[in-house]
Amino acid sequence: MAEHGERRGSRLFTAVKYLTYSLLLLNIYLFLQEELGSLEHTFTNGMRFGEFVQVFAATIDTAAWVVLLLLFELETYILDDARIRGGVKLALHGIRGICYIAIGYAFSGYCAELLTLYTTQALLPGWDACQQLGQGWSVLLSLDEYEALTPANCAAIDTDSALGLAGFSIVAPLEYLQAARRLAWTDALNAAAWILVVIVLEIEVRLQLKGRLTDRVVRNTAYLKYVLYGTLFVAAAYWGFAGTFLDFWDAFLWLFAFIFIELNVGNWQRETHKGSETGPMKTATAADVQ
């Protein structure tokens, strides 16, 4: 009876894990749709290669992280240690290297977006928003969120405090601009924290494959992870508070997903320490999770 309950708990654990991974795949599409909408108001005359990442930073970042997550799942849960050798090992490390490049590229896009929001210019004296109707101007509402200048919104713009985004036909009311800057800072800090998380995990995986992931190392890396995951939790909470639901939902899913990866690493280490003759099977049961 207990064994039956354990198997059922293990199946539920696996089902929830892969449902979470599937929802993260869906988020790639949602971010793409959001950023395509933003593109209608930003680089309307085309963009250079360096500007591409500024527009699609979240899509590139999420896609690379999903692939990286699945690679960690393979190494820490699905594949036996004996199979992570030779060509398989080279392939895993090669794909992971490409993901790291994409993540770093996306991080540069977050930084570029942040810089753009600080590269502003005062509106010309006597500039009137309602006189710019039909001239291709847009209004900044939030980070990556704009709307076309219309008779309904032009009169509400305080031209004495509003600023223009340099290089764009975008007017930014000061209140909205400040809120967008805070969100852009959150994006950049969140991305930096995740990069540090994956560096720590990469170290743990490599040490585990070499049989050097000791309890002492795990305890030491745990302190750093508390700080990093705490930072990520604060970022997720701020997105929820600021009303950007997609960012909040995505951050929540990623934190949830990496709980599974952390459990995988912990179970992997414990199984290796048992020194079984057949090698670690890397299977998580309900008992392992508890």
Side-chain angles (χ1 to χ4, degrees), residues 54 73 112-113 135 152 159 161 170 188 211 245 252 259 276 286 290:
Q54 181 176 337
E73 177 72 8
E113 179 75 8
Q135 302 300 313
T159 54
S161 62
I170 296 175
F245 177 77
F252 168 78
I259 289 174
S276 60
Q290 289 172 354

Side-chain angles (χ1 to χ4, degrees), residues 20-211:
T20 302
Y21 294 174
S22 299
L23 290 172
L24 287 170
L25 278 169
L26 175 61
N27 280 2
I28 299 174
Y29 171 77
L30 296 178
F31 276 120
L32 178 61
Q33 293 303 304
E34 182 181 82
E35 290 176 330
L36 285 172
S38 173
L39 183 60
E40 295 178 3
H41 301 275
T42 51
F43 298 96
T44 54
N45 296 321
M47 54 186 170
R48 298 185 295 271
F49 176 75
E51 296 168 335
F52 179 85
V53 69
Q54 181 176 337
V55 177
F56 296 105
T59 302
I60 295 170
D61 196 32
T62 305
W65 273 105
V66 167
V67 175
L68 194 61
L69 178 71
L70 296 178
L71 291 175
F72 274 123
E73 177 72 8
L74 280 173
E75 281 196 299
T76 64
Y77 185 79
I78 296 176
L79 296 178
D80 293 337
D81 290 357
R83 295 187 61 185
I84 309 177
R85 299 287 187 274
V88 173
K89 183 177 180 180
L90 287 175
L92 289 173
H93 288 179
I95 297 172
R96 191 152 63 232
I98 295 172
C99 290
Y100 289 151
I101 292 172
I103 288 167
Y105 183 52
F107 178 68
S108 73
Y110 291 128
C111 293
E113 179 75 8
L114 180 61
L115 181 61
T116 295
L117 293 173
Y118 281 92
T119 308
T120 57
Q121 57 192 19
L123 299 172
L124 294 175
W127 190 90
D128 189 309
C130 292
Q131 292 180 1
Q132 308 302 319
L133 296 176
Q135 302 300 313
W137 280 81
S138 300
V139 183
L140 173 72
L141 300 179
S142 183
L143 182 64
D144 293 329
E145 186 178 348
Y146 309 87
E147 68 177 9
L149 197 63
T150 66
N153 60 29
C154 69
I157 297 174
D158 182 1
T159 54
D160 291 332
S161 62
L163 296 170
L165 297 186
F168 302 95
S169 296
I170 296 175
V171 59
L174 187 58
E175 180 183 356
Y176 295 161
L177 178 61
Q178 291 173 339
R181 285 172 175 173
R182 289 192 291 270
L183 289 171
W185 273 111
T186 305
D187 275 352
L189 293 174
N190 179 76
W194 273 118
I195 289 173
L196 292 176
V197 165
V198 81
I199 288 173
V200 174
L201 280 172
E202 181 73 25
I203 291 171
E204 289 182 335
V205 169
R206 288 180 180 270
L207 288 176
Q208 177 66 14
L209 288 172
K210 295 178 180 179

